[in-house]
mmCIF file of all heavy atoms in Angstrom:
data_model
loop_
_atom_site.group_PDB
_atom_site.id
_atom_site.type_symbol
_atom_site.label_atom_id
_atom_site.label_comp_id
_atom_site.label_asym_id
_atom_site.label_seq_id
_atom_site.Cartn_x
_atom_site.Cartn_y
_atom_site.Cartn_z
ATOM 1 N N PHE A 1 0.798 -1.201 0.014
ATOM 2 C CA PHE A 1 0.014 -0.047 -0.006
ATOM 3 C C PHE A 1 0.892 1.246 0.085
ATOM 4 O O PHE A 1 0.542 2.260 -0.656
ATOM 5 C CB PHE A 1 -0.959 0.051 1.182
ATOM 6 C CG PHE A 1 -2.057 -1.027 1.152
ATOM 7 C CD1 PHE A 1 -1.991 -2.215 1.873
ATOM 8 C CD2 PHE A 1 -3.056 -0.917 0.232
ATOM 9 C CE1 PHE A 1 -3.004 -3.128 1.772
ATOM 10 C CE2 PHE A 1 -4.100 -1.871 0.126
ATOM 11 C CZ PHE A 1 -4.083 -2.967 0.889
ATOM 12 N N THR A 2 1.900 1.311 0.849
ATOM 13 C CA THR A 2 2.865 2.373 0.937
ATOM 14 C C THR A 2 3.523 2.720 -0.368
ATOM 15 O O THR A 2 3.490 3.857 -0.844
ATOM 16 C CB THR A 2 3.850 2.137 2.005
ATOM 17 O OG1 THR A 2 3.154 1.916 3.272
ATOM 18 C CG2 THR A 2 4.753 3.416 2.172
ATOM 19 N N CYS A 3 4.073 1.698 -1.054
ATOM 20 C CA CYS A 3 4.698 1.800 -2.333
ATOM 21 C C CYS A 3 3.766 2.215 -3.413
ATOM 22 O O CYS A 3 4.097 3.083 -4.304
ATOM 23 C CB CYS A 3 5.435 0.595 -2.764
ATOM 24 S SG CYS A 3 6.842 0.095 -1.694
ATOM 25 N N LEU A 4 2.555 1.783 -3.383
ATOM 26 C CA LEU A 4 1.573 2.274 -4.373
ATOM 27 C C LEU A 4 1.315 3.722 -4.210
ATOM 28 O O LEU A 4 1.164 4.520 -5.158
ATOM 29 C CB LEU A 4 0.272 1.470 -4.338
ATOM 30 C CG LEU A 4 0.232 0.117 -4.988
ATOM 31 C CD1 LEU A 4 -1.156 -0.641 -4.761
ATOM 32 C CD2 LEU A 4 0.506 0.285 -6.443
ATOM 33 N N ALA A 5 1.186 4.181 -2.943
ATOM 34 C CA ALA A 5 0.964 5.628 -2.718
ATOM 35 C C ALA A 5 2.086 6.475 -2.885
ATOM 36 O O ALA A 5 1.983 7.562 -3.483
ATOM 37 C CB ALA A 5 0.425 5.753 -1.218
ATOM 38 N N LEU A 6 3.299 6.079 -2.457
ATOM 39 C CA LEU A 6 4.494 6.981 -2.439
ATOM 40 C C LEU A 6 5.445 6.719 -3.578
ATOM 41 O O LEU A 6 6.242 7.567 -3.888
ATOM 42 C CB LEU A 6 5.212 6.835 -1.079
ATOM 43 C CG LEU A 6 4.475 7.122 0.140
ATOM 44 C CD1 LEU A 6 5.363 6.827 1.369
ATOM 45 C CD2 LEU A 6 3.917 8.548 0.216
ATOM 46 N N GLY A 7 5.359 5.519 -4.236
ATOM 47 C CA GLY A 7 6.367 5.143 -5.169
ATOM 48 C C GLY A 7 7.753 4.797 -4.611
ATOM 49 O O GLY A 7 8.707 4.728 -5.370
ATOM 50 N N ARG A 8 7.804 4.541 -3.293
ATOM 51 C CA ARG A 8 9.079 4.161 -2.612
ATOM 52 C C ARG A 8 8.790 3.371 -1.414
ATOM 53 O O ARG A 8 7.620 3.476 -0.850
ATOM 54 C CB ARG A 8 9.937 5.396 -2.334
ATOM 55 C CG ARG A 8 9.365 6.277 -1.371
ATOM 56 C CD ARG A 8 10.252 7.547 -1.037
ATOM 57 N NE ARG A 8 9.501 8.473 -0.309
ATOM 58 C CZ ARG A 8 9.260 8.378 1.067
ATOM 59 N NH1 ARG A 8 9.597 7.362 1.659
ATOM 60 N NH2 ARG A 8 8.611 9.380 1.623
ATOM 61 N N MET A 9 9.720 2.636 -0.969
ATOM 62 C CA MET A 9 9.619 1.833 0.340
ATOM 63 C C MET A 9 10.260 2.709 1.377
ATOM 64 O O MET A 9 11.324 3.128 1.272
ATOM 65 C CB MET A 9 10.223 0.534 0.155
ATOM 66 C CG MET A 9 10.207 -0.289 1.398
ATOM 67 S SD MET A 9 8.710 -0.795 2.002
ATOM 68 C CE MET A 9 8.573 -2.513 1.448
ATOM 69 N N PRO A 10 9.434 3.022 2.514
ATOM 70 C CA PRO A 10 10.136 3.643 3.569
ATOM 71 C C PRO A 10 11.369 2.964 4.224
ATOM 72 O O PRO A 10 11.410 1.756 4.214
ATOM 73 C CB PRO A 10 8.934 3.769 4.625
ATOM 74 C CG PRO A 10 7.747 3.528 3.861
ATOM 75 C CD PRO A 10 8.080 2.673 2.700
ATOM 76 N N GLU A 11 12.273 3.787 4.502
ATOM 77 C CA GLU A 11 13.580 3.204 4.938
ATOM 78 C C GLU A 11 13.435 2.298 6.106
ATOM 79 O O GLU A 11 14.125 1.279 6.175
ATOM 80 C CB GLU A 11 14.593 4.327 5.247
ATOM 81 C CG GLU A 11 15.942 3.913 5.525
ATOM 82 C CD GLU A 11 17.005 4.931 5.770
ATOM 83 O OE1 GLU A 11 16.614 6.229 5.769
ATOM 84 O OE2 GLU A 11 18.186 4.658 5.820
ATOM 85 N N GLY A 12 12.658 2.718 7.181
ATOM 86 C CA GLY A 12 12.551 1.918 8.326
ATOM 87 C C GLY A 12 11.932 0.523 7.930
ATOM 88 O O GLY A 12 12.375 -0.563 8.443
ATOM 89 N N MET A 13 10.918 0.484 7.151
ATOM 90 C CA MET A 13 10.299 -0.831 6.756
ATOM 91 C C MET A 13 11.246 -1.591 5.970
ATOM 92 O O MET A 13 11.337 -2.825 6.196
ATOM 93 C CB MET A 13 9.020 -0.492 5.858
ATOM 94 C CG MET A 13 7.864 0.121 6.723
ATOM 95 S SD MET A 13 6.477 0.598 5.643
ATOM 96 C CE MET A 13 5.868 -1.071 5.228
ATOM 97 N N ARG A 14 12.049 -1.042 4.966
ATOM 98 C CA ARG A 14 12.927 -1.685 4.291
ATOM 99 C C ARG A 14 14.051 -2.338 5.094
ATOM 100 O O ARG A 14 14.412 -3.525 4.986
ATOM 101 C CB ARG A 14 13.548 -0.872 3.191
ATOM 102 C CG ARG A 14 14.270 -1.473 1.982
ATOM 103 C CD ARG A 14 15.800 -1.679 2.156
ATOM 104 N NE ARG A 14 16.527 -0.732 2.840
ATOM 105 C CZ ARG A 14 17.272 0.156 2.221
ATOM 106 N NH1 ARG A 14 17.309 0.319 0.873
ATOM 107 N NH2 ARG A 14 17.920 1.148 2.986
ATOM 108 N N ASN A 15 14.542 -1.558 6.107
ATOM 109 C CA ASN A 15 15.586 -2.009 7.009
ATOM 110 C C ASN A 15 15.165 -3.176 7.860
ATOM 111 O O ASN A 15 15.913 -4.168 8.054
ATOM 112 C CB ASN A 15 16.146 -0.937 7.795
ATOM 113 C CG ASN A 15 16.911 0.165 6.991
ATOM 114 O OD1 ASN A 15 17.274 -0.148 5.862
ATOM 115 N ND2 ASN A 15 17.185 1.205 7.537
ATOM 116 N N LEU A 16 13.950 -3.124 8.394
ATOM 117 C CA LEU A 16 13.327 -4.172 9.197
ATOM 118 C C LEU A 16 13.182 -5.459 8.447
ATOM 119 O O LEU A 16 13.487 -6.517 8.740
ATOM 120 C CB LEU A 16 12.056 -3.726 9.888
ATOM 121 C CG LEU A 16 11.424 -4.805 10.760
ATOM 122 C CD1 LEU A 16 12.347 -5.317 11.903
ATOM 123 C CD2 LEU A 16 10.117 -4.282 11.320
ATOM 124 N N GLY A 17 12.751 -5.225 7.131
ATOM 125 C CA GLY A 17 12.526 -6.320 6.235
ATOM 126 C C GLY A 17 13.794 -7.035 5.864
ATOM 127 O O GLY A 17 13.860 -8.298 5.813
ATOM 128 N N THR A 18 14.796 -6.181 5.660
ATOM 129 C CA THR A 18 16.111 -6.932 5.233
ATOM 130 C C THR A 18 16.775 -7.581 6.452
ATOM 131 O O THR A 18 17.414 -8.481 6.256
ATOM 132 C CB THR A 18 17.151 -5.778 4.640
ATOM 133 O OG1 THR A 18 17.261 -4.738 5.548
ATOM 134 C CG2 THR A 18 16.619 -5.302 3.269
ATOM 135 N N TYR A 19 16.484 -7.084 7.636
ATOM 136 C CA TYR A 19 16.938 -7.798 8.956
ATOM 137 C C TYR A 19 16.298 -9.066 8.991
ATOM 138 O O TYR A 19 16.966 -10.094 9.165
ATOM 139 C CB TYR A 19 16.604 -6.840 10.123
ATOM 140 C CG TYR A 19 16.963 -7.506 11.428
ATOM 141 C CD1 TYR A 19 18.261 -7.378 11.982
ATOM 142 C CD2 TYR A 19 15.995 -8.286 12.229
ATOM 143 C CE1 TYR A 19 18.605 -8.016 13.111
ATOM 144 C CE2 TYR A 19 16.453 -8.874 13.395
ATOM 145 C CZ TYR A 19 17.594 -8.729 13.802
ATOM 146 O OH TYR A 19 18.037 -9.338 14.998
ATOM 147 N N CYS A 20 14.921 -9.163 8.745
ATOM 148 C CA CYS A 20 14.259 -10.479 8.778
ATOM 149 C C CYS A 20 14.731 -11.381 7.720
ATOM 150 O O CYS A 20 15.045 -12.585 7.929
ATOM 151 C CB CYS A 20 12.715 -10.241 8.582
ATOM 152 S SG CYS A 20 11.996 -9.206 9.845
ATOM 153 N N LEU A 21 15.066 -10.816 6.503
ATOM 154 C CA LEU A 21 15.559 -11.495 5.412
ATOM 155 C C LEU A 21 16.945 -12.121 5.636
ATOM 156 O O LEU A 21 17.263 -13.215 5.295
ATOM 157 C CB LEU A 21 15.537 -10.745 4.139
ATOM 158 C CG LEU A 21 15.694 -11.439 2.802
ATOM 159 C CD1 LEU A 21 14.651 -12.566 2.555
ATOM 160 C CD2 LEU A 21 15.648 -10.359 1.675
ATOM 161 N N ARG A 22 17.824 -11.300 6.259
ATOM 162 C CA ARG A 22 19.177 -11.714 6.586
ATOM 163 C C ARG A 22 19.086 -12.961 7.512
ATOM 164 O O ARG A 22 19.882 -13.862 7.297
ATOM 165 C CB ARG A 22 19.967 -10.582 7.118
ATOM 166 C CG ARG A 22 21.430 -10.911 7.483
ATOM 167 C CD ARG A 22 22.083 -9.874 8.453
ATOM 168 N NE ARG A 22 21.324 -9.557 9.570
ATOM 169 C CZ ARG A 22 21.274 -10.198 10.718
ATOM 170 N NH1 ARG A 22 21.998 -11.338 10.871
ATOM 171 N NH2 ARG A 22 20.700 -9.899 11.805
ATOM 172 N N TYR A 23 18.332 -12.831 8.552
ATOM 173 C CA TYR A 23 18.274 -13.946 9.498
ATOM 174 C C TYR A 23 17.717 -15.107 8.830
ATOM 175 O O TYR A 23 18.269 -16.332 9.061
ATOM 176 C CB TYR A 23 17.308 -13.664 10.627
ATOM 177 C CG TYR A 23 17.443 -14.564 11.788
ATOM 178 C CD1 TYR A 23 18.425 -14.457 12.788
ATOM 179 C CD2 TYR A 23 16.586 -15.681 11.857
ATOM 180 C CE1 TYR A 23 18.495 -15.453 13.792
ATOM 181 C CE2 TYR A 23 16.704 -16.712 12.781
ATOM 182 C CZ TYR A 23 17.686 -16.500 13.771
ATOM 183 O OH TYR A 23 17.852 -17.436 14.710
ATOM 184 N N GLU A 24 16.865 -15.109 7.925
ATOM 185 C CA GLU A 24 16.261 -16.187 7.152
ATOM 186 C C GLU A 24 17.394 -16.780 6.337
ATOM 187 O O GLU A 24 17.495 -18.032 6.274
ATOM 188 C CB GLU A 24 15.094 -15.798 6.336
ATOM 189 C CG GLU A 24 14.490 -16.907 5.612
ATOM 190 C CD GLU A 24 13.263 -16.594 4.757
ATOM 191 O OE1 GLU A 24 12.172 -16.440 5.376
ATOM 192 O OE2 GLU A 24 13.436 -16.387 3.490
ATOM 193 N N ALA A 25 18.154 -15.970 5.592
ATOM 194 C CA ALA A 25 19.302 -16.468 4.792
ATOM 195 C C ALA A 25 20.258 -17.217 5.633
ATOM 196 O O ALA A 25 20.760 -18.246 5.183
ATOM 197 C CB ALA A 25 19.806 -15.300 3.973
ATOM 198 N N GLN A 26 20.621 -16.618 6.782
ATOM 199 C CA GLN A 26 21.586 -17.279 7.681
ATOM 200 C C GLN A 26 21.028 -18.634 8.122
ATOM 201 O O GLN A 26 21.837 -19.627 8.298
ATOM 202 C CB GLN A 26 21.897 -16.471 8.808
ATOM 203 C CG GLN A 26 22.872 -15.184 8.309
ATOM 204 C CD GLN A 26 23.145 -14.294 9.613
ATOM 205 O OE1 GLN A 26 22.659 -14.517 10.604
ATOM 206 N NE2 GLN A 26 24.038 -13.267 9.175
ATOM 207 N N THR A 27 19.777 -18.734 8.391
ATOM 208 C CA THR A 27 19.165 -19.992 8.810
ATOM 209 C C THR A 27 19.183 -20.999 7.765
ATOM 210 O O THR A 27 19.526 -22.245 7.991
ATOM 211 C CB THR A 27 17.703 -19.721 9.338
ATOM 212 O OG1 THR A 27 17.702 -18.715 10.300
ATOM 213 C CG2 THR A 27 17.013 -20.943 9.797
ATOM 214 N N TYR A 28 18.862 -20.639 6.505
ATOM 215 C CA TYR A 28 19.044 -21.552 5.341
ATOM 216 C C TYR A 28 20.491 -21.979 5.244
ATOM 217 O O TYR A 28 20.800 -23.076 5.088
ATOM 218 C CB TYR A 28 18.576 -20.944 4.136
ATOM 219 C CG TYR A 28 17.092 -21.113 3.847
ATOM 220 C CD1 TYR A 28 16.156 -20.005 4.050
ATOM 221 C CD2 TYR A 28 16.469 -22.331 3.431
ATOM 222 C CE1 TYR A 28 14.827 -20.188 3.826
ATOM 223 C CE2 TYR A 28 15.217 -22.504 3.202
ATOM 224 C CZ TYR A 28 14.284 -21.502 3.357
ATOM 225 O OH TYR A 28 12.977 -21.595 3.232
ATOM 226 N N GLY A 29 21.406 -21.034 5.317
ATOM 227 C CA GLY A 29 22.841 -21.328 5.198
ATOM 228 C C GLY A 29 23.241 -22.331 6.278
ATOM 229 O O GLY A 29 24.071 -23.257 5.970
ATOM 230 N N TYR A 30 22.811 -22.094 7.514
ATOM 231 C CA TYR A 30 23.198 -23.023 8.577
ATOM 232 C C TYR A 30 22.601 -24.395 8.243
ATOM 233 O O TYR A 30 23.177 -25.385 8.404
ATOM 234 C CB TYR A 30 22.704 -22.504 9.851
ATOM 235 C CG TYR A 30 23.007 -23.380 11.150
ATOM 236 C CD1 TYR A 30 24.332 -23.413 11.568
ATOM 237 C CD2 TYR A 30 22.120 -24.145 11.683
ATOM 238 C CE1 TYR A 30 24.637 -24.244 12.660
ATOM 239 C CE2 TYR A 30 22.317 -24.998 12.795
ATOM 240 C CZ TYR A 30 23.630 -24.988 13.212
ATOM 241 O OH TYR A 30 23.908 -25.866 14.345
ATOM 242 N N THR A 31 21.395 -24.491 7.931
ATOM 243 C CA THR A 31 20.641 -25.718 7.685
ATOM 244 C C THR A 31 21.264 -26.515 6.476
ATOM 245 O O THR A 31 21.472 -27.682 6.574
ATOM 246 C CB THR A 31 19.125 -25.490 7.440
ATOM 247 O OG1 THR A 31 18.584 -24.814 8.526
ATOM 248 C CG2 THR A 31 18.412 -26.879 7.241
ATOM 249 N N PHE A 32 21.616 -25.807 5.412
ATOM 250 C CA PHE A 32 22.182 -26.348 4.221
ATOM 251 C C PHE A 32 23.646 -26.563 4.312
ATOM 252 O O PHE A 32 24.322 -26.630 3.292
ATOM 253 C CB PHE A 32 21.869 -25.620 2.999
ATOM 254 C CG PHE A 32 20.340 -25.737 2.630
ATOM 255 C CD1 PHE A 32 19.848 -24.862 1.783
ATOM 256 C CD2 PHE A 32 19.668 -26.917 2.885
ATOM 257 C CE1 PHE A 32 18.445 -24.867 1.354
ATOM 258 C CE2 PHE A 32 18.399 -27.077 2.469
ATOM 259 C CZ PHE A 32 17.742 -26.106 1.685
#
């Protein structure tokens, strides 16, 4: 909704999202 309205991703949302994504990538890396 935010990107449709603003045409950009707010920095805080992007940073929190990449934090979650990094942990997931590390978990896959550990498992694999």
Side-chain angles (χ1 to χ4, degrees):
F1 290 105
T2 305
C3 289
L4 281 178
L6 303 176
R8 64 179 170 76
M9 177 64 100
E11 187 174 8
M13 289 175 72
R14 196 267 324 260
N15 291 347
L16 180 57
T18 56
Y19 177 85
C20 297
L21 192 58
R22 179 191 54 79
Y23 190 87
E24 182 178 284
Q26 288 179 354
T27 303
Y28 273 104
Y30 180 75
T31 305
F32 284 158

